[in-house]
Amino acid sequence: CSAAEEKDLVIIGGGVAGYVAAIKAGQEGLKVACIEKRGALGGTCLNVGCIPSKSLLNNSHLYHQIMHDSKNRGIEVGDVKLNLQAMMKAKETSVTGLTKGIEYLFKKNGVEYIKGTGSFASEHEVRVKLTDGGETSVVGKNILIATGSEATPFPGLEIDEKRVITSTGALSLDKVPEKMIVIGGGIIGLEMGSVWSRLGSQVTVVEFLNQIGGPGMDTEIATQAQKLLKKQGVDFKLGTKVVSGDASGEKVKLEVDAAKGGKAETLEADVVLVAIGRRPYTAGLGLENIGLEVDERGRVVIDSEYRTKASHIRCIGDVTFGPMLAHKAEEEAVAAVEFIKKGYGHVNYGVIPSVMYTHPEVAWVGQNEQDLKKDNIPYKIGTFPFSANSRAKTNLDTDGMVKMLADPETDRLLGCHIIGPNAGEMIAEATLALEYGASTEDIARTCHAHPTLAEAFKEAAMATYSKAIHF
Ligand code: FAD
Ligand code: NAD
């Protein structure tokens, strides 16, 4: 791209937020360029996040199931062996297939892909240090910041991605560690802890709070999830804070302290996974060159139309407010381009689903019981266990339940929390219901195919205002 060329939209960052905005802008007929520095499109999600983690979760589950849950299904297997290198290769095949797919979509929609690191030279000009050497610059009528997030480091424990790792290292260890400690029992800790536990590691999760699952998970569901993961072999130390670490010896040592009831002790492991949250990434972006603000947590400050202080510069995704989720970034990308092109756009932040892809999966949308209690909002509950669902029974996969929270006067759905097989797919139905303001009676009177897991969803709805038929 020549230095003088002006685009309608310049996007910094080719993650989910940036690449979706780029495709949408191309579709809307805008002249658009997307700058990405990692050498591949798709950002954290496709390269070192959602996609590789789900590949490993899926295949490690299969391995674990073949080892421990096949005989009772009438399947006699012989010599089952883990080929970790092949499992990692399968993961890489999924990742590269998808990242290359985005390059194709860029071409199809006329998006210019600039490989390099972007930084603000002025309010309309982004200077790019090209990956292949040299520099260029691109001028935008509009600019979109979509630079994402990075793992929050643990003070005093240097990340080497081999013995002290973030999720990135946890996605490509070259052997199964004998003992792994996970600092943080949020979604990353539990997903990646599950993978390595299934592959043979002795995993201990140390969590500061008295509940696993990170922010948003319903307490009753989190307690069930913890019990089920414990049954699979993951150990937990809740109410326990890791205060310091030392990786200088043969083993990595952690000092933990009673935070909320846990006890002080020294723990040792071969590998320590730091999973204490993620923080916005703006390093080298030159926000200071144009006086843009970040808040105390490093998030780029924006208004309700994603505008920064300079109204032609917008910001979306992990680098700004809201849950750090790929589908949230994707919604914002479409809305931000619509604001630019049409002057209006919308994301319903009350209806963003969350999924933890362990086995069983945990998924939720809307409000949870502890928040309703805290806010003094009246509610009624309907639950249905998968142990009473015919499809779960045929699948020999009956752990978990559907829990619905509804307004006691109107039956309007307030929140839905599922722990069980395929919860991540089933939550789409609750999300649609919540988006359209459905009542639980609307859901319960909607015919659901038999035998499906989704019948548990229907029966939990029924249980909020009447009785479930099968329980
Ligand atoms: P990112 O994906 O981080 O993309 C930002 C991009 O900008 C990066 O590629 C970066 O290289 C680039 N960049 C930064 N600065 C510059 C610059 N100056 N110039 C050029 N390029 C730059 N979310 C889900 O919804 N579901 C999941 O199952 C899920 N699993 C996850 C698993 C893991 C292990 C992790 C770590 C995260 C997971 N997430 C998941 C979260 C999800 O990955 C993020 O919410 C999502 O990637 C955010 O998209 P983004 O575009 O805002 O940021
Ligand atoms: P998180 O905020 O979900 O969990 C971090 C946990 O670490 C918290 O429960 C916190 O109490 C605990 N913690 C912090 N400091 C501690 C200490 N010193 N000792 C013990 N415990 C401590 O963060 P995460 O799991 O790192 O995930 C980061 C982001 O990535 C999340 O926003 C999540 O939404 C996203 N993500 C999503 C998915 C998914 O959607 N399936 C998967 C992976 C990641």
Side-chain angles (χ1 to χ4, degrees):
C1 128
S2 78
E5 194 186 348
E6 189 188 58
K7 300 282 182 190
D8 296 316
L9 177 61
V10 172
I11 300 170
I12 312 175
V16 177
Y19 91 70
V20 172
I23 292 171
K24 179 73 184 167
Q27 290 170 346
E28 292 289 343
L30 300 179
K31 244 165 74 182
V32 55
C34 180
I35 306 162
E36 170 56 57
K37 67 175 184 167
R38 78 167 66 228
L41 294 168
T44 303
C45 179
L46 270 70
N47 292 284
V48 285
C50 329
I51 299 302
S53 63
K54 266 80 253 179
S55 169
L56 292 184
L57 276 156
N58 188 57
N59 292 334
S60 64
H61 174 61
L62 218 55
Y63 170 71
H64 194 256
Q65 193 170 27
I66 293 168
M67 296 274 279
H68 302 286
D69 182 27
S70 52
K71 215 170 181 179
N72 56 332
R73 296 172 184 274
I75 305 166
E76 302 268 344
V77 286
D79 190 18
V80 182
K81 270 199 264 157
L82 172 68
N83 182 337
L84 187 59
Q85 278 67 37
M87 196 177 276
M88 291 294 172
K89 194 148 187 289
K91 174 203 73 173
E92 279 143 31
T93 305
S94 309
V95 168
T96 44
L98 287 165
T99 55
K100 290 280 173 223
I102 299 171
E103 278 191 44
Y104 160 78
L105 291 172
F106 268 21
K107 283 195 190 112
K108 185 176 159 195
N109 290 288
V111 177
E112 185 179 351
Y113 172 19
I114 305 175
K115 294 180 187 165
T117 306
S119 67
F120 283 100
S122 71
E123 281 203 354
H124 282 278
E125 188 186 351
V126 181
R127 192 170 302 128
V128 188
K129 201 161 181 275
L130 295 167
T131 309
D132 290 341
E135 263 197 19
T136 187
S137 88
V138 53
V139 172
K141 281 195 194 112
N142 295 281
I143 295 174
L144 187 65
I145 301 170
T147 48
S149 62
E150 62 177 352
T152 306
F154 188 88
L157 256 187
E158 204 181 317
I159 303 289
D160 61 11
E161 297 296 12
K162 291 204 160 26
R163 293 197 317 144
V164 180
I165 60 177
T166 65
S167 52
T168 301
L171 291 166
S172 44
L173 290 178
D174 56 11
K175 65 174 198 286
V176 179
E178 208 171 298
K179 187 160 174 28
M180 175 186 272
I181 294 178
V182 180
I183 312 179
I187 305 279
I188 291 187
L190 298 176
E191 286 187 353
M192 296 318 302
S194 281
V195 166
W196 292 104
S197 161
R198 291 164 185 173
L199 297 182
S201 242
Q202 196 192 326
V203 173
T204 304
V205 174
V206 184
E207 168 56 51
F208 169 71
L209 300 174
N210 284 316
Q211 174 181 325
I212 61 163
M217 196 180 283
D218 186 271
T219 299
E220 186 184 2
I221 300 282
T223 307
Q224 271 207 29
Q226 191 194 334
K227 272 195 199 131
L228 292 169
L229 291 173
K230 172 120 186 87
K231 224 164 79 181
Q232 290 166 24
V234 179
D235 265 343
F236 290 94
K237 288 183 184 292
L238 298 195
T240 306
K241 185 177 180 184
V242 178
V243 284
S244 66
D246 176 8
S248 59
E250 202 189 311
K251 301 270 179 191
V252 186
K253 285 191 180 151
L254 298 178
E255 297 297 331
V256 307
D257 211 353
K260 299 182 179 245
K263 68 170 190 214
E265 58 187 314
T266 305
L267 305 174
E268 283 189 356
D270 303 292
V271 170
V272 167
L273 166 59
V274 178
I276 56 171
R278 292 179 63 82
R279 62 183 187 190
Y281 182 80
T282 53
L285 189 55
L287 291 180
E288 62 290 352
N289 299 346
I290 51 168
L292 291 191
E293 297 169 44
V294 296
D295 74 355
E296 74 292 345
R297 286 164 62 183
R299 298 173 295 194
V300 175
V301 177
I302 50 166
D303 67 11
S304 60
E305 297 185 9
Y306 310 108
R307 286 176 302 212
T308 64
K309 223 161 65 177
S311 62
H312 68 289
I313 304 176
R314 287 181 156 84
C315 177
I316 55 168
D318 278 13
V319 71
T320 187
F321 307 113
M324 289 185 171
L325 293 172
H327 43 281
K328 173 264 192 187
E330 192 169 346
E331 294 301 313
E332 289 183 340
V334 171
V337 171
E338 285 174 339
F339 273 119
I340 291 168
K341 175 75 182 183
K342 301 173 181 164
Y344 56 84
H346 181 67
V347 175
N348 185 353
Y349 288 93
V351 188
I352 294 177
S354 294
V355 183
M356 177 169 90
Y357 297 85
T358 47
H359 190 84
E361 291 180 350
V362 176
W364 68 97
V365 65
Q367 289 164 290
N368 61 37
E369 199 178 346
Q370 63 267 28
D371 288 347
L372 289 171
K373 263 195 198 131
K374 197 173 75 213
D375 298 341
N376 277 324
I377 299 172
Y379 62 92
K380 57 183 179 177
I381 304 179
T383 59
F384 192 84
F386 282 103
S387 56
N389 171 270
S390 54
R391 187 63 184 276
K393 273 208 154 11
T394 63
N395 293 351
L396 302 179
D397 202 357
T398 52
D399 284 331
M401 67 167 177
V402 179
K403 171 174 176 178
M404 261 183 214
L405 301 162
D407 184 302
E409 294 272 316
T410 62
D411 283 347
R412 192 169 62 87
L413 181 65
L414 298 173
C416 180
H417 303 267
I418 309 176
I419 175 167
N422 267 348
E425 298 292 339
M426 207 184 297
I427 205 66
E429 195 176 351
T431 308
L432 197 66
L434 207 58
E435 181 71 44
Y436 280 86
S439 71
T440 46
E441 190 171 347
D442 290 329
I443 298 170
R445 291 189 188 282
T446 303
C447 183
H448 283 67
H450 175 77
T452 58
L453 297 167
E455 286 175 293
F457 179 74
K458 173 193 160 100
E459 293 226 44
M462 210 180 247
T464 62
Y465 65 91
S466 176
K467 282 189 175 142
I469 300 291
H470 295 94
F471 186 64

